[in-house]
Amino acid sequence: FEVDACRVRTPTDKARVERQVQYVRNDFFLGERFRSVAEARVEAERWCREDAGRRKHGRTRRAPIEVFEAEERAVLRPAPEEPYDIPRWTDHHVDRSHAVVVGHALYSVPFQIEAGTALRARRDRSTVKLYCNRLLVKTHPRQPEGGTCLDAADMPPEKAALALRDPSSLITEAVSYGEHVGVYAERLIAGRLPWTRMRHVYCLLGLAKRYGPEVVNQACGQALALDVVEVVRIKRMLEKGLVGRTSPPASVAPSATPATPAAGRHRFERKASEFRTEASHARP
């Protein structure tokens, strides 16, 4: 069916609907007396089948009960067993993170909608719908209190990886700056909780944009040769101009064991035997 809204305090707009009320009142229960509601219901069903249902309609010239049996009964669905899902409407404003809090749960909003925009939220048992100027802009499955529902398509491209804790997109961007930069980024976020070190990868990507891919790629190669995986070290190398004093290896695989530099190659390099923790029982 289609909703055809009527003007306020204008009964003539809905005369066709309310005319049926007058017909039921005058033809069915006007002047009748029923001993109970149950008796009135039984008599109402009989009146619909035998009287009102068999009269000819003024426009279609067909009996309503015949139309119901021939066309409507077959497509009539059973009445719902659960109570009607009454929606709740609330007003919200988009925050700087392109999201709104509805019912103590966080929902993303398309990034095309500017922060501070007023939205109207409709939530029921299963969905949350967001409207902007009466236009539906987003639909989310409803989350419990404290829950979060973020859609990657709603985030700005430059913030989607951080908001959704997606390290794979950062690795792809790092590889575009050079082979060693990609390997260094993989080493930075390696572990059980990669998203806790994503900001280190962002810092590395920022250095590549500031100093250039070639210089940063060479710095990562030098650091990987010494198995130094700290983005702060890369930053200091670039700030002090230490890149280029040693040549990085031709290729560094993500899982390869870093090569040991030759003796005397670096100023503060020490032998591995100096870091032994086991007591030596050998006598001179």
Side-chain angles (χ1 to χ4, degrees):
F1 62 90
E2 294 182 2
V3 177
D4 186 10
C6 301
R7 293 173 294 177
V8 180
R9 294 182 294 275
T10 309
T12 55
D13 286 6
K14 48 185 177 178
R16 178 183 290 272
V17 177
E18 293 198 341
R19 183 66 179 86
Q20 305 301 321
V21 177
Q22 181 181 357
Y23 168 69
V24 174
R25 180 190 61 196
N26 295 339
D27 195 83
F28 170 53
F29 61 81
L30 184 62
E32 299 288 342
R33 291 187 177 182
F34 303 104
R35 289 172 293 183
S36 64
V37 176
E39 181 183 357
R41 290 173 176 172
V42 172
E43 185 61 23
E45 292 182 4
R46 183 206 61 78
W47 177 78
C48 289
R49 290 192 306 268
E50 301 177 2
D51 296 338
R54 297 189 179 279
R55 81 189 194 283
K56 286 187 177 182
H57 192 272
R59 184 180 61 82
T60 64
R61 309 306 296 171
R62 300 174 63 185
I65 193 171
E66 295 177 357
V67 176
F68 174 76
E69 295 292 345
E71 303 176 5
E72 298 177 354
R73 180 184 289 275
V75 296
L76 188 65
R77 293 183 296 178
E81 298 180 357
E82 58 184 12
Y84 176 70
D85 191 2
I86 302 177
R88 182 177 180 182
W89 293 84
T90 51
D91 296 319
H92 305 272
H93 287 82
V94 181
D95 59 19
R96 294 182 300 174
S97 59
H98 301 282
V100 292
V101 177
V102 182
H104 302 286
L106 186 68
Y107 300 92
S108 61
V109 178
F111 69 91
Q112 294 85 353
I113 301 178
E114 298 180 357
T117 303
L119 297 182
R120 187 104 166 124
R122 177 193 184 277
R123 70 177 187 268
D124 51 31
R125 284 194 294 263
S126 58
T127 61
V128 172
K129 297 181 179 180
L130 303 177
Y131 294 84
C132 180
N133 297 327
R134 300 185 179 181
L135 296 178
L136 179 64
V137 295
K138 192 65 182 180
T139 300
H140 288 285
R142 184 170 179 177
Q143 304 297 315
E145 293 187 1
T148 301
C149 187
L150 300 179
D151 188 354
D154 294 339
M155 302 297 168
E158 65 276 7
K159 297 182 179 180
L162 181 61
L164 301 177
R165 295 181 175 181
D166 180 20
S168 60
S169 60
L170 297 181
I171 298 298
T172 302
E173 184 178 354
V175 172
S176 65
Y177 292 120
E179 178 184 1
H180 302 306
V181 179
V183 175
Y184 207 85
E186 291 182 358
R187 295 284 300 277
L188 282 174
I189 62 175
R192 297 179 54 189
L193 304 174
W195 53 84
T196 60
R197 298 182 58 83
M198 288 178 61
R199 294 190 181 275
H200 297 266
V201 182
Y202 270 101
C203 181
L204 179 64
L205 299 177
L207 293 175
K209 296 176 182 178
R210 180 179 179 182
Y211 293 96
E214 296 81 5
V215 179
V216 176
N217 187 55
Q218 188 175 359
C220 291
Q222 294 180 203
L224 290 171
L226 297 175
D227 198 23
V228 178
V229 186
E230 293 182 10
V231 71
V232 178
R233 302 283 186 176
I234 301 295
K235 184 178 180 180
R236 290 177 181 174
M237 292 172 61
L238 297 172
E239 291 175 347
K240 296 181 179 181
L242 301 179
V243 181
R245 295 189 178 182
T246 59
S247 300
S251 177
V252 181
S255 59
T257 303
T260 303
R265 183 177 178 180
H266 299 282
R267 180 179 179 185
F268 298 104
E269 183 179 356
R270 300 170 65 182
K271 297 181 180 180
S273 59
E274 299 182 24
F275 297 94
R276 293 181 58 183
T277 59
E278 298 179 358
S280 176
H281 300 285
R283 293 183 180 180

